[in-house]
Amino acid sequence: MVLKNNSKIKKVFSIIANTVLVLLIIVGIIVGVALLPINNNYKLLAVTSGSMEPVIGVGSLVIIKPASGYQVGDIITFEKLNAVSDKDTTTHRIQLIAEKNGEKIYTTKGDANNAAASQTVNEDQIIGKYRFSIALLGYLLKYLKTLPGLILIIVIPATIIIYEEVRKIGREMKNIKNKKKLNKSPKKEK
């Protein structure tokens, strides 16, 4: 009875471990693809403010992609005018499109902001158009960009894979040794 329960516990643990490993690998692939320097590639961003609530909540993972054109009502992500880094972005809805010296100027505002809090954006500041968001996954993305997150997404799965492969090799070597012993054992004469 104890052996059966122990076997069931090992099986459940194995299923959970494999599921977590697969999820980590999938997240790693998605983040890796988004980081590739491909023109018009999807970008993944974490939302850190509530300016677009209730459409996009704080901590959401936002998926954006450059578009050929932008319309009033589109939600766009753009670099702030005096951005210190490319991570200094804002996601707001386009309220008005005007033209100044042959260049389009977009007036944007967060859905949760008052009308006075609108911003103007040049077309070259726009990173992309909002495609969809996944609630709370932005926190995970921000964590994965830290050293402990990097360890979680790369080092731990790689260690598990290496460990499993070493175990398989060990079992195969044991099987080969056992087969050799069986072949070398003295045969009974008839």
Side-chain angles (χ1 to χ4, degrees), residues 7-92:
S7 158
K8 286 181 181 180
I9 291 171
K10 282 184 179 179
K11 188 173 183 177
V12 168
F13 178 74
S14 176
I15 290 170
I16 291 170
N18 287 333
T19 303
V20 168
L21 180 62
V22 167
L23 289 174
L24 286 173
I25 290 170
I26 290 170
V27 169
I29 290 170
I30 291 170
V31 170
V33 168
L35 294 176
L36 291 174
I38 301 171
N39 280 344
N40 295 324
N41 194 12
Y42 286 93
K43 300 232 183 294
L44 307 176
L45 301 170
V47 176
T48 57
S49 80
S51 67
M52 284 302 294
E53 287 187 335
V55 176
I56 306 170
V58 176
S60 293
L61 174 70
V62 175
I63 290 82
I64 60 167
K65 186 173 193 294
S68 57
Y70 303 97
Q71 313 265 327
V72 170
D74 287 347
I75 299 173
I76 60 170
T77 299
F78 55 92
E79 291 178 349
K80 293 181 180 176
L81 192 54
N82 297 320
V84 178
S85 73
D86 61 347
K87 296 174 184 167
D88 202 4
T89 61
T90 302
T91 300
H92 280 171

Side-chain angles (χ1 to χ4, degrees), residues 65-168:
K65 186 173 193 294
S68 57
Y70 303 97
Q71 313 265 327
V72 170
D74 287 347
I75 299 173
I76 60 170
T77 299
F78 55 92
E79 291 178 349
K80 293 181 180 176
L81 192 54
N82 297 320
V84 178
S85 73
D86 61 347
K87 296 174 184 167
D88 202 4
T89 61
T90 302
T91 300
H92 280 171
R93 189 179 305 276
I94 297 174
Q95 299 294 312
L96 179 71
I97 301 173
E99 214 168 297
K100 184 177 180 181
N101 299 331
E103 187 178 343
K104 287 187 178 181
I105 305 293
Y106 300 88
T107 303
T108 67
K109 180 178 90 61
D111 290 355
N113 294 347
N114 295 329
S118 61
Q119 297 180 354
T120 56
V121 179
N122 298 326
E123 198 157 15
D124 60 340
Q125 289 176 262
I126 298 174
I127 298 169
K129 182 178 175 179
Y130 165 85
R131 299 300 178 183
F132 63 94
S133 63
I134 304 169
L136 304 177
L137 275 185
Y139 292 125
L140 177 63
L141 178 67
K142 285 185 74 162
Y143 179 71
L144 292 176
K145 290 182 178 182
T146 65
L147 182 60
L150 184 66
I151 291 170
L152 177 73
I153 198 72
I154 294 174
V155 175
I156 292 174
T159 303
I160 292 170
I161 291 168
I162 291 168
Y163 172 76
E164 289 296 324
E165 290 302 316
V166 167
R167 276 186 43 194
K168 286 179 187 176

